[in-house]
Amino acid sequence: MTAKRGFQLISWGILFFIDFSPFGFDILPDIVGFLLIYRGAFLLADTSIHFANVKKWIPILLVLSIYDLIAPILAAALEPSVVAWSSLISSIITTGFNVWLVWQLCKGLSAWAEKKGESDLVLQARKRAIAFIIMMIVMLLMLGVALISPYWFTMLVIPVLIAYVTVTLMLLYLFNRASAKAL
């Protein structure tokens, strides 16, 4: 029952990876997702070293997500160039940690599934981790595209966002499947 709840919490936490900010207000704040993932990793820490690693390192993501929440307030007090550079650096660091986080979560799920003889989940976890890493690389490349050609950025932003949401939902589904198998 603990594994089931842990996978459910991680699944819900992954939902918060989707940034939906109408009028500049993030409806799905990352900090909530990271807290849910932390609790899920805490419940699963005895099943895999990867979940224990997540539990140890997620406080860094919590700090970064707090920065994301207060950045709009800081933007009003700082020069635009400082805001732009700090946002760029924060995005790169956060992306790196998100890649690491998803890799650890998928490796933990894979290790758990392997012990349970669920080879389809093992394979899916590996594929979803790789898909997420590729998506994050594309998202970082989009920052460069925005600087080089705003026209191409505008043309690509919607398809890239749709792909990102799709990959995120695929991860969510993966952890839901693990939760169903953890009965």
Side-chain angles (χ1 to χ4, degrees):
M1 195 67 161
T2 302
K4 178 179 181 60
R5 185 70 180 139
F7 287 129
Q8 286 172 339
L9 288 168
I10 290 170
S11 180
W12 280 107
I14 289 170
L15 177 64
F16 285 82
F17 281 7
I18 300 171
D19 290 328
F20 182 64
S21 304
F23 309 110
F25 177 75
D26 192 358
I27 292 177
L28 301 170
D30 293 347
I31 193 166
V32 174
F34 293 139
L35 289 170
L36 290 167
I37 291 169
Y38 176 83
R39 181 67 180 140
F42 179 83
L43 293 173
L44 293 162
D46 62 342
T47 65
S48 170
I49 186 70
H50 302 288
F51 291 123
N53 286 337
V54 167
K55 192 178 80 164
K56 282 190 250 179
W57 286 91
I58 211 157
I60 293 170
L61 284 163
L62 290 169
V63 169
L64 289 169
S65 63
I66 290 169
Y67 173 76
D68 281 346
L69 287 175
I70 63 170
I73 297 166
L74 295 175
L78 299 172
E79 289 184 39
S81 64
V82 172
V83 172
W85 280 106
S86 67
S87 294
L88 178 66
I89 292 167
S90 173
S91 291
I92 292 169
I93 292 170
T94 301
T95 299
F97 273 106
N98 282 340
V99 165
W100 174 86
L101 174 67
V102 168
W103 183 258
Q104 291 296 310
L105 290 172
C106 287
K107 291 290 284 181
L109 188 149
S110 182
W112 175 85
E114 202 167 322
K115 289 177 193 170
K116 299 286 185 187
E118 297 286 347
S119 58
D120 61 323
L121 275 178
V122 172
L123 183 62
Q124 256 191 356
R126 290 179 184 152
K127 286 181 178 179
R128 302 282 163 89
I130 291 168
F132 187 81
I133 291 168
I134 291 168
M135 195 68 248
M136 291 294 94
I137 291 169
V138 169
M139 296 287 275
L140 282 177
L141 291 174
M142 286 295 287
L143 293 173
V145 170
L147 296 172
I148 294 167
S149 174
Y151 171 77
W152 280 107
F153 177 82
T154 304
M155 297 302 290
L156 294 172
V157 73
I158 298 298
V160 168
L161 287 176
I162 290 170
Y164 174 73
V165 169
T166 301
V167 168
T168 303
L169 292 176
M170 288 167 52
L171 279 169
L172 186 148
Y173 177 71
L174 172 70
F175 282 90
N176 271 338
R177 281 198 59 217
S179 172
K181 303 257 182 182
L183 294 175

